[in-house]
Amino acid sequence: MKRIVILISGRGSNMEAILRTAAAEQWPAQIAAVISNKADAVGLKTAEAAGIPAVAVEHRLYPDRERFDEALAEAIDRFAPDLVVLAGFMRILTPGFVHRYHGRLLNIHPSLLPSFPGLATHRQALDAGVKFHGATVHFVTPELDHGPIVEQAVVPVLEDDTEPVLAARVLAQEHVIYPRAVREFVEGRMWLDGDRVRRPAASQ
Ligand code: GRF
């Protein structure tokens, strides 16, 4: 049984998609804990209701990023995870934290990376006038919203799209690709090798 810790900051719909899919598909994995940097994150309640340990490590209680990341790592390591999943976790992580979880730290970003890193990705996409937008699952490296790409989903950008409409179209795809990527990892069918994502030869 692989152990997964999920980090959230708010709504937690990606976390929910992972919980739901893991149960429905009977993954050889256990969601060991959900941790939020905000005590009032809605997703913590969802996790609790599902019987999963839900922990808050509030960044505002720490004097700097280093101290917060140390406390966060301590909280994570108590659950001895094989994989740490960032699911709408809205904090920039220190290089020390990222190195500690090298090769077992995944993130989802709501754009087709390397386009539109950072915040307000749907606004960025609309402003750029792109015809296609989407979401990316990637291994986390110290550079924000970079890192080896595991999986992407593409959606069309339509003429009269607004930010919320486009965000909802992308989010629906996030809920498909993130559980799929996490499952591949916990089943040993996808891993990080240097700066490349590898899969068994037959599935490439
Ligand atoms: C998602 O769009 C995710 O890609 C981004 O933040 C949003 C979080 O949504 N990083 P949720 O908390 O998973 O509902």
Side-chain angles (χ1 to χ4, degrees), residues 10-15 87-88 90 108-110 171 174:
R11 175 177 61 181
S13 71
N14 276 290
M15 172 210 74
M90 305 302 282
I108 190 156
H109 182 76
L171 191 65
E174 293 183 40

Side-chain angles (χ1 to χ4, degrees), residues 29-98:
Q30 178 193 357
I31 315 302
V34 172
I35 300 176
S36 172
N37 63 309
K38 291 189 177 168
D40 61 356
V42 174
L44 280 183
K45 300 242 162 31
T46 314
E48 252 169 35
I52 292 164
V55 178
V57 182
E58 293 200 83
H59 67 272
R60 60 184 185 85
L61 302 179
Y62 295 86
D64 52 38
R65 255 182 225 294
E66 278 70 24
R67 238 72 67 85
F68 169 66
D69 278 8
E70 275 166 28
L72 182 62
E74 235 171 69
I76 293 170
D77 291 349
R78 251 176 254 141
F79 297 96
D82 300 285
L83 176 65
V84 178
V85 173
L86 307 180
F89 186 69
M90 305 302 282
R91 297 289 302 168
I92 294 174
L93 296 163
T94 55
F97 183 96
V98 171

Side-chain angles (χ1 to χ4, degrees), residues 5-202:
V5 167
I6 304 179
L7 305 190
I8 62 167
S9 294
R11 175 177 61 181
S13 71
N14 276 290
M15 172 210 74
E16 240 183 299
I18 292 167
L19 297 189
R20 205 174 36 240
T21 314
E25 297 178 351
Q26 301 189 314
W27 296 356
Q30 178 193 357
I31 315 302
V34 172
I35 300 176
S36 172
N37 63 309
K38 291 189 177 168
D40 61 356
V42 174
L44 280 183
K45 300 242 162 31
T46 314
E48 252 169 35
I52 292 164
V55 178
V57 182
E58 293 200 83
H59 67 272
R60 60 184 185 85
L61 302 179
Y62 295 86
D64 52 38
R65 255 182 225 294
E66 278 70 24
R67 238 72 67 85
F68 169 66
D69 278 8
E70 275 166 28
L72 182 62
E74 235 171 69
I76 293 170
D77 291 349
R78 251 176 254 141
F79 297 96
D82 300 285
L83 176 65
V84 178
V85 173
L86 307 180
F89 186 69
M90 305 302 282
R91 297 289 302 168
I92 294 174
L93 296 163
T94 55
F97 183 96
V98 171
H99 285 129
R100 184 186 190 110
Y101 298 104
H102 179 77
R104 53 188 180 117
L105 185 57
L106 288 177
N107 182 43
I108 190 156
H109 182 76
S111 81
L112 291 172
L113 290 174
S115 289
F116 315 134
L119 296 173
T121 56
H122 310 304
R123 181 77 263 150
Q124 291 189 60
L126 290 172
D127 289 348
V130 293
K131 299 295 177 201
F132 295 96
H133 183 41
T136 303
V137 177
H138 64 98
F139 280 97
V140 177
T141 53
E143 199 180 342
L144 183 69
D145 298 330
H146 276 67
I149 291 174
V150 173
E151 167 110 55
Q152 290 187 307
V154 180
V155 303
V157 180
L158 306 178
E159 203 57 48
D160 49 4
D161 270 350
T162 59
E163 233 178 304
V165 167
L166 183 55
R169 192 177 303 130
V170 171
L171 191 65
Q173 293 308 308
E174 293 183 40
H175 296 166
V176 175
I177 63 170
Y178 214 4
R180 192 153 72 204
V182 171
R183 181 178 179 175
E184 273 194 300
F185 184 92
V186 296
E187 290 186 343
R189 293 185 286 113
M190 179 275 290
W191 63 92
L192 186 65
D193 174 15
D195 58 2
R196 304 286 299 184
V197 174
R198 302 277 182 208
R199 292 182 166 88

